[in-house]
Amino acid sequence: EAPKDDGGRKKKGGGKTVSSYFKGQLDDLMTTLYKTEPHFIRCVVPNTHKQPGGVEPGLVMHQYQCNGVLAGIAICRKGFPNKMLYPEFKARYNILAAKLVAKAKSDKSAASAVLTAIKLDPEKFRLGHTKVFFRAGILGY
């Protein structure tokens, strides 16, 4: 067989591919996300039958519990809405009591030492297992 002759023309790029269209949409989404303030949206399935207006309270409460919404509400109701992981707290506030932090055996004890050194009222914070919790207005970002 003789080789096919395409008349010396080169193929031109056709329309957008699915991949390039998706990449463009993703770039637009990421641009929008970087321009916004971060907030969390929890999507809750109200019922298993996909009927409008129908709510299954047990299902909704189970989703709230699994998503950590109930724990967050409990913390806010107790009055400690602001929190910070111990390593982050230690890195940020180490300068306030550097000698005590150096002697501390754990990040939690280092955080406790800093809070004691600055004489922060114990009613304004709580030490958790992995985080320090503060009352509203204590942390100044």
Side-chain angles (χ1 to χ4, degrees):
E1 284 184 32
K4 292 184 179 179
D5 184 20
D6 61 355
R9 290 183 284 160
K10 290 187 178 180
K11 285 189 177 180
K12 292 187 178 179
K16 275 190 163 184
T17 63
V18 172
S19 177
S20 65
Y21 183 72
F22 175 75
K23 185 178 182 319
Q25 283 184 320
L26 182 60
D27 289 339
D28 292 344
L29 175 63
M30 294 307 293
T31 301
T32 303
L33 288 174
Y34 284 125
K35 289 180 183 177
T36 61
E37 295 279 328
H39 290 79
F40 295 96
I41 297 172
R42 302 279 187 212
C43 296
V44 176
V45 177
N47 62 61
T48 55
H49 305 294
K50 298 184 180 179
Q51 294 175 344
V55 176
E56 296 175 20
L59 177 64
V60 172
M61 289 304 289
H62 177 70
Q63 291 175 76
Y64 284 156
Q65 187 175 14
C66 291
N67 288 336
V69 172
L70 296 180
I73 291 170
I75 289 169
C76 288
R77 290 182 82 190
K78 289 258 186 190
F80 298 95
N82 300 321
K83 58 191 177 278
M84 186 179 290
L85 289 168
Y86 286 127
E88 183 183 347
F89 182 87
K90 181 180 169 184
R92 184 173 289 195
Y93 298 108
N94 176 30
I95 195 166
L96 297 175
K99 290 180 183 176
L100 294 174
V101 170
K103 292 179 185 176
K105 296 188 188 268
S106 68
D107 289 339
K108 183 175 181 177
S109 59
S112 179
V114 170
L115 293 167
T116 303
I118 63 171
K119 297 180 178 138
L120 184 62
D121 182 5
E123 279 301 307
K124 296 186 177 182
F125 70 91
R126 292 289 186 273
L127 298 176
H129 293 290
T130 59
K131 298 175 186 169
V132 186
F133 294 89
F134 296 94
R135 291 210 184 269
I138 300 301
L139 283 181
Y141 280 99

